[in-house]
């Protein structure tokens, strides 16, 4: 018997608006037994069926909706249907066809709460972050395998979000096996190694694909500073675009090692124009300003400073700080490409932070382009948390 999760009066609004999270505070009672990850029927206070969801007893997000059709069965076939539909949506977008690095499943934003899948050539890396996803792991792996035909699927379920769901880390090959130090993709004409075992997230930041191409377009004869460079995605595009010098800064030694390996994989690029520097960006930018260093283009792509709205204030100070320091290091007419990937900072908040930094830097700053994640990172309008990546391309007087 499926257990039933009854909501408190008035707490069915977000479900009706097709938001997939049910918080503990919205629940009146659970009748019947449900183990972590089990499917429960979600009903309104008056008993009206609303949805079917995965139960997460340990998490403040107590249930995650699989379907807003209260009669749809959650079984192996459900995951096959959903995953085939997501992949068909990707295939419908011409710019994604043939991409070697591609986000196949973008969790909530693709109607699959807690499930991420990235494709790197013939290898797929999945990351499961909810009790419901964990319960259906075998079905999910099988559906991805059958729909894509990919022979190798690696699980990288080690995000900190799992502990909030009471789940331990789970990593390893689920189907097939491939030499992990040979996984490379071509992106915008540059070859990049992807470390699926020890790299960040599933190994690579696929969401910046289009924005990296934009950097190549802007780079000819420019002196460029790429802050938070990770494995050099933006740096290599800058070299490809003809930058005169690219200085890349990151605090992670291993990321910088991969970045330099990546440069080595691209003999068409002029490696003598690249400088790699292991440092904290907050300190490094100050030092460069004190030394009166100037750049034509600065890229700021920091990690998530505000995972949720609760961290927004502290994060805003950090964003303002690095953007202010970067503005001070720009030459006349220079450009700043700046990002926030924090779910807790809205695009409007981010713009205001940059405006405040511009006032302190005493310069006129104009937005020439708003930037976002690539098309394989769609945003479900009902799930505003999915709009995590926002960027601004700015020109400075
Ligand atoms: N722009 C990259 C992704 C950046 S991810 C790309 O296109 O692939 C964020 C990076 O910031 C990580 O590599 C992390 O090691 C680095 N990082 C985090 N905090 C830092 C700090 N205070 N100073 C320098 N680097 C930092």
């Amino acid at each position: 018997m499926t257990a039933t999760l009854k909501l408190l009066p008035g707490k069915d609004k977000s479900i009706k608006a097709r938001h997939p999270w049910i918080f503990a505070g919205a629940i009146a009672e659970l009748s019947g037994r449900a183990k972590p990850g089990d499917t429960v029927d979600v009903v309104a206070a008056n008993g009206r069926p609303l949805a079917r969801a995965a139960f997460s007893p340990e998490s403040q997000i107590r249930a995650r909706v699989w379907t807003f059709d209260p009669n749809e069965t959650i079984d192996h076939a459900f995951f096959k249907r959903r995953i085939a539909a997501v992949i068909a949506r990707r295939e419908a977008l011409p710019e994604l066809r043939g991409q070697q690095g591609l986000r196949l499943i973008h969790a909530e934003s693709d109607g699959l709460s807690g499930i991420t899948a990235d494709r790197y050539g013939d290898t797929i890396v999945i990351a499961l972050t909810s009790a419901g996803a964990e319960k259906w792991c075998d079905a999910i792996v099988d559906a991805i395998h059958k729909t894509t035909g990919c022979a190798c699927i690696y699980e990288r379920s080690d995000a900190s979000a799992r502990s909030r769901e009471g789940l331990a880390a789970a990593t390893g090959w689920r189907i097939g096996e491939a030499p992990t130090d040979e996984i490379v993709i071509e992106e915008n004409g540059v070859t990049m190694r992807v470390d699926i075992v020890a790299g960040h997230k599933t190994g690579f930041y696929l969401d910046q694909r289009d924005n990296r191409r934009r950097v190549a377009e802007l780079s000819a004869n420019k002196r460029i500073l790429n802050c938070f460079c990770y494995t050099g995605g933006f740096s290599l595009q800058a070299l490809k675009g003809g930058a005169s010098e690219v200085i890349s800064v990151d605090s992670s030694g291993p990321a910088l090692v991969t970045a330099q390996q990546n440069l080595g994989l691209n003999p068409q690029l002029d490696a003598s124009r690249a400088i790699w520097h292991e440092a904290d960006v907050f300190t490094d930018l100050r030092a460069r300003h004190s030394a009166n260093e100037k750049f034509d283009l600065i890229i700021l792509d920091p990690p998530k400073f505000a995972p949720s709205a609760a961290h927004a204030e502290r994060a805003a100070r950090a964003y303002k700080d690095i953007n202010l320091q970067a503005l001070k290091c720009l030459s006349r007419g220079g450009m700043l490409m700046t990002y926030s990937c924090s779910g807790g900072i809205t695009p409007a908040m981010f713009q205001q932070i940059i405006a405040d930094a511009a006032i302190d830097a005493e310069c006129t700053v104009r937005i020439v382009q708003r930037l976002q994640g690539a098309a394989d990172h769609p945003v479900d309008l009902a799930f505003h948390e999915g709009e995590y990546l926002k960027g601004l391309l700015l020109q400075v007087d």
Side-chain angles (χ1 to χ4, degrees):
M1 257 289 280
T2 310
T4 300
L5 204 65
K6 185 183 270 193
L7 302 183
L8 288 163
K11 292 289 186 188
D12 52 357
K13 271 205 207 92
S14 81
I15 292 268
K16 283 185 177 156
R18 299 178 85 85
H19 190 288
W21 292 349
I22 300 168
F23 286 93
I27 296 170
E29 58 176 13
L30 174 77
S31 35
R33 282 175 170 278
K35 295 195 294 295
D38 280 356
T39 302
V40 294
D41 288 324
V42 182
V43 302
N46 62 7
R48 193 166 83 83
L50 296 171
R52 289 212 155 116
F55 186 52
S56 285
E58 302 243 347
S59 171
Q60 274 310 300
I61 303 174
R62 195 55 51 89
R64 292 160 179 269
V65 172
W66 286 129
T67 174
F68 294 99
D69 173 358
N71 298 312
E72 190 172 14
T73 304
I74 306 306
D75 55 8
H76 200 136
F78 167 83
F79 289 97
K80 268 196 180 153
R81 276 197 309 278
R82 274 279 162 102
I83 288 170
V86 180
I87 290 170
R89 287 201 293 275
R90 299 287 185 275
E91 282 167 1
L93 295 165
E95 72 270 36
L96 298 181
R97 262 177 241 143
Q99 286 291 352
Q100 294 178 4
L102 186 72
R103 172 144 297 188
L104 288 178
I105 305 176
H106 192 41
E108 278 80 356
S109 304
D110 276 319
L112 288 161
S113 189
I115 307 173
T116 298
D118 289 335
R119 180 175 189 151
Y120 301 115
D122 292 331
T123 297
I124 289 175
V125 183
I126 59 165
L128 309 179
T129 53
S130 68
E134 175 86 354
K135 179 187 165 89
W136 291 100
C137 178
D138 291 349
I140 293 162
V141 168
D142 183 63
I144 294 174
H145 174 57
K146 297 231 164 75
T147 319
T148 61
C150 274
C152 300
I153 301 184
Y154 185 80
E155 182 174 4
R156 210 29 229 288
S157 298
D158 56 2
S160 59
R162 274 177 75 92
S163 62
R164 290 196 290 277
E165 296 267 326
L167 301 169
T171 56
W173 290 101
R174 297 296 168 250
I175 287 191
E177 201 168 329
T180 51
D181 51 358
E182 289 171 21
I183 296 176
V184 292
I185 55 166
E186 197 209 293
E187 190 198 71
N188 300 318
V190 161
T191 302
M192 302 292 293
R193 187 194 158 212
V194 180
D195 184 352
I196 65 166
V197 175
H200 295 175
K201 305 212 280 186
T202 65
F204 195 66
Y205 291 88
L206 289 165
D207 49 3
Q208 293 283 27
R209 184 191 310 113
D210 297 350
N211 301 326
R212 285 194 277 257
R213 196 183 54 233
R214 187 77 177 109
V215 161
E217 292 166 2
L218 297 168
S219 293
N221 305 316
K222 296 278 179 352
R223 182 167 194 251
I224 297 177
L225 179 65
N226 179 16
C227 299
F228 309 98
C229 69
Y230 187 48
T231 58
F234 282 107
S235 313
L236 268 59
Q237 288 299 322
L239 291 169
K240 185 186 162 211
S244 56
E245 183 174 44
V246 181
I247 299 180
S248 307
V249 183
D250 201 283
S251 57
S252 160
L256 289 168
V257 169
T258 310
Q260 288 167 81
Q261 286 171 353
N262 281 336
L263 184 52
L265 292 174
N266 292 276
Q268 77 280 17
L269 303 178
D270 184 349
S272 70
R273 298 181 179 190
I275 294 171
W276 306 95
H277 186 51
E278 186 176 335
D280 171 60
V281 165
F282 290 83
T283 330
D284 185 70
L285 279 172
R286 278 193 168 70
R288 291 185 194 279
H289 174 54
S290 307
N292 203 25
E293 272 198 68
K294 295 289 178 200
F295 296 89
D296 304 308
L297 170 65
I298 299 181
I299 302 153
L300 291 178
D301 184 24
K304 192 160 56 185
F305 291 151
S308 74
H311 307 81
E313 215 179 289
R314 226 181 112 209
R317 281 198 293 276
Y319 284 118
K320 185 177 166 193
D321 187 57
I322 50 172
N323 281 281
L324 170 59
Q325 298 305 324
L327 288 171
K328 289 180 179 170
C329 291
L330 282 176
S331 48
R332 278 198 82 82
M335 296 181 95
L336 175 63
M337 183 185 265
T338 181
Y339 294 96
S340 160
C341 63
S342 295
I345 301 278
T346 64
M349 283 159 78
F350 187 54
Q351 184 171 322
Q352 189 57 53
I353 291 166
I354 309 304
D356 291 343
I359 292 170
D360 287 10
E362 298 177 7
C363 56
T364 299
V365 176
R366 297 184 175 87
I367 298 174
V368 291
Q369 193 181 357
R370 294 178 198 280
L371 304 158
Q372 58 182 25
D376 48 347
H377 297 68
V379 179
D380 179 340
L381 287 176
F383 182 70
H384 67 87
E385 293 86 345
E387 197 176 5
Y388 67 100
L389 182 63
K390 53 250 150 212
L392 296 170
L393 180 63
L394 306 162
Q395 265 176 339
V396 180
D397 267 359

